[in-house]
Amino acid sequence: MALDIDQLTVRQAVVGLRTGAYSSVALTQAMLEAIATRNPAVNAFVWLDEADAMRQAEAADRARQAGQQGVLLGVPLAVKDVLNVDGHPCSCGSKILRGYTALYDATAIARLRAAGALLVGRTNMDEFAMGSTTENSAFGPTRNPVALDHVAGGSSGGSAAAVAGGMALAALGTDTGGSIRQPASFCGCVGLKPSYGRISRYGLVAYASSLDQIGPITRTVADAALLLGVMAGRDALDATTLDQPVPDYNAALTGDLRGLRLGLPREYFVDGMDPEVAVAVRAATARCRELGAQIVEVSLPHTRYAVATYYILAAAEASANLARFDGVRYGFRATGEGAPIDMYKQTRAQGFGCEVQRRIILGTYVLSSGYYDAYYLRAQKVRTLIRRDFDAAFAQCDALLTPVAPTPAYRMGETMDDPLHMYLGDIFTVTANLAGVCGLSVPCGRTAGGLPIGLQVLGPAFGEERVLRVGHAYEQSRQGEAL
Ligand code: GLN
């Protein structure tokens, strides 16, 4: 009988493999079959090399027979198309990287590999991680497996859809302004954005370097804790990783919230928010109180400036980071006559999609002389105020409870002609990136129409143990309920 990977968690797979209930070959085969059947409707994966996946699985089974161990030995994981995996394409959802093959492993990937994990396939994303719907991809949009006429969220929509759609046990995403947490919430999975500096960004194609973080999208909080523990820690190849010991995140999953103070930021429960989201998050808060937490109201007064601040800074950093894609060094090159400068222009005009071009233009503008002080510098100052808001809030409580997004998943196409509408949907997630703190998205209910809703748990920088503890206790208390 075929192995059913629909609900299987990473932890269950680890046990199944260790006890010999099934081999990595069987597990990987089941994953490939699920992808073959389900991916055409969802478009979560944009690239898959079945032979390569099976070779990795066979090697893992052989390693186990030879007595080797590894916390993730033989577990297949899916990877967002923005992380370098040696020998796999890395196209960032863009035409401009067509034909590019990664030459090395990102540090996060190398650590997963060292723990025995298999890296299977590439998941769809908004081009260069710019977007909130996974509709801005050169590979076509990803659909939400829970409701195919809705978006999967973004930019790590392919990863969330793979996990929610029964095609992967867990997947890697990246989060610059919500791209792990929001798709996780739209698809009904768990998503963790670690603190800035917790996981090395080496080998992650940069969008906005001061905001980007890698993190897991999983079916349970315990799986997120497991994957975080493998990937976290100082890396000499990324100077922004902090030299802080990696705690045993599994030990943080106590199952109760006794003694914790959880803050509800006033500014995150706003008019215009979807009422079903508000009700679900309020109910989750009440549940956390029952689990032993004390709930306090706090204020993050600069929240209303967060979207504007984020879109100035992210665009500015993107305009600098994306300058390297010029048709000379990587991937696609426009053909035609003329001077090299024309080749650069044509390559970038043809290779980048609309949203990426919009961000590059915006970013170049806010950095240009005469406007730098008015936009970029001012945004940096507001960023400091937002960070101080969090410092003040975390002086009063251990973690914060908020919605992940003001609405459930959008209908396909709904935000395509209205980028501002899409940007505003990031209001509750961009703040964590601006402040460098950590955030977890956990399913907390569904709308009457069946769309998943996510609860966000925010913790201070390097406070992952707290958000995992809160998310896990909440999740356990709702076990057996269809979320
Ligand atoms: N939606 C946000 C943006 O478009 C966040 C994306 C992300 O986190 N990568 O920039």
Side-chain angles (χ1 to χ4, degrees):
M1 198 186 87
L3 180 60
D4 183 10
I5 67 152
D6 239 18
Q7 310 285 329
L8 194 69
T9 68
V10 172
R11 275 167 190 264
Q12 288 166 347
V14 166
V15 174
L17 290 164
R18 198 195 314 122
T19 57
Y22 39 82
S23 64
S24 179
V25 163
L27 180 58
T28 307
Q29 190 68 51
M31 177 177 169
L32 297 178
E33 280 164 20
I35 296 171
T37 340
R38 295 167 179 174
N39 194 54
V42 175
N43 198 27
F45 284 87
V46 297
W47 179 88
L48 185 69
D49 181 340
E50 303 195 348
D52 170 73
M54 292 314 291
R55 270 195 301 275
Q56 293 183 59
E58 284 158 13
D61 285 337
R62 272 198 307 275
R64 188 178 298 282
Q65 271 156 20
Q68 272 184 43
Q69 287 177 357
V71 271
L72 295 171
L73 186 57
V75 178
L77 300 174
V79 183
K80 185 179 181 182
D81 194 24
V82 70
L83 287 155
N84 280 280
V85 175
D86 193 7
H88 290 189
C90 181
S91 35
C92 301
S94 182
K95 186 178 162 191
I96 210 161
L97 277 169
R98 200 162 60 192
Y100 177 73
T101 299
L103 300 168
Y104 65 98
D105 278 341
T107 297
I109 297 292
R111 289 186 178 181
L112 291 167
R113 227 193 257 284
L118 326 179
L119 291 320
V120 176
R122 310 284 300 170
T123 58
N124 203 10
M125 57 184 281
D126 287 299
E127 188 176 1
F128 287 101
M130 297 175 194
S132 310
T133 63
T134 313
E135 291 172 298
N136 302 317
S137 165
F139 298 96
T142 294
R143 290 172 179 273
N144 192 321
V146 177
L148 290 173
D149 51 348
H150 285 71
V151 302
S155 64
S156 315
S159 289
V163 174
M167 291 177 266
L169 279 51
L172 295 192
T174 60
D175 191 313
T176 305
S179 280
I180 288 174
R181 292 161 286 158
Q182 185 257 29
S185 104
F186 279 12
C187 292
C189 0
V190 171
L192 174 67
K193 183 204 92 73
S195 314
Y196 190 75
R198 184 70 287 191
I199 293 180
S200 168
R201 290 175 296 109
Y202 178 74
L204 158 64
V205 179
Y207 162 13
S209 312
S210 77
L211 302 159
D212 297 340
Q213 266 296 290
I214 299 167
I217 295 181
T218 56
R219 291 176 176 162
T220 62
V221 177
D223 279 359
L226 177 61
L227 296 180
L228 173 68
V230 172
M231 292 187 282
R234 169 83 184 146
D235 175 19
L237 297 170
D238 175 359
T240 63
T241 50
L242 288 195
D243 200 2
Q244 295 242 356
V246 178
D248 176 3
Y249 292 113
N250 305 322
L253 310 177
T254 60
D256 77 80
L257 299 180
R258 278 193 297 272
L260 283 185
R261 279 164 75 89
L262 301 179
L264 289 186
R266 199 174 301 141
E267 295 79 6
Y268 283 57
F269 294 86
V270 289
D271 288 346
M273 199 163 119
D274 185 286
E276 290 182 281
V277 171
V279 167
V281 173
R282 293 269 180 210
T285 307
R287 176 62 62 93
C288 289
R289 186 183 285 119
E290 288 164 24
L291 291 165
Q294 185 192 345
I295 308 292
V296 294
E297 196 179 63
V298 296
S299 175
L300 297 166
H302 296 94
T303 302
R304 64 195 165 115
Y305 305 114
V307 170
T309 304
Y310 169 82
Y311 276 94
I312 289 171
L313 296 177
E317 293 185 31
S319 72
N321 275 326
L322 270 56
R324 70 188 60 152
F325 301 107
D326 54 8
V328 176
R329 283 170 280 193
Y330 314 91
F332 169 78
R333 175 186 297 181
T335 50
E337 316 236 306
I341 187 76
D342 298 317
M343 188 280 285
Y344 297 153
K345 284 184 186 166
Q346 284 307 316
T347 296
R348 289 167 68 81
Q350 294 169 29
F352 288 136
C354 282
E355 184 62 28
V356 172
Q357 294 195 23
R358 176 162 30 230
R359 307 274 181 113
I360 292 173
I361 292 168
L362 200 64
T364 309
Y365 176 76
V366 300
L367 289 173
S368 58
S369 98
Y371 295 101
Y372 182 92
D373 289 4
Y375 294 107
Y376 184 74
L377 202 63
R378 186 165 297 185
Q380 290 288 24
K381 290 178 178 170
V382 180
R383 181 178 188 173
T384 302
L385 298 176
I386 290 170
R387 187 178 298 132
R388 286 189 193 147
D389 280 358
F390 277 95
D391 290 345
F394 288 126
Q396 295 169 54
C397 61
D398 300 297
L400 302 168
L401 299 179
T402 82
V404 177
T407 66
Y410 313 114
R411 285 193 171 277
M412 299 288 297
E414 193 182 312
T415 61
M416 285 303 267
D417 302 322
D418 186 359
L420 198 59
H421 176 56
M422 184 181 77
Y423 299 168
L424 289 170
D426 295 337
I427 175 74
F428 301 143
T429 47
V430 293
T431 47
N433 304 75
L434 289 166
V437 303
C438 59
L440 178 74
S441 170
V442 199
C444 72
R446 297 229 173 183
T447 64
L451 296 173
I453 300 171
L455 168 72
Q456 178 170 240
V457 188
L458 294 173
F462 288 75
E464 278 81 4
E465 288 165 286
R466 287 190 211 167
V467 299
L468 290 166
R469 177 177 166 197
V470 174
H472 174 73
Y474 173 74
E475 172 195 73
Q476 293 306 300
S477 82
R478 299 211 57 179
Q479 245 188 3
E481 296 175 55
L483 286 179

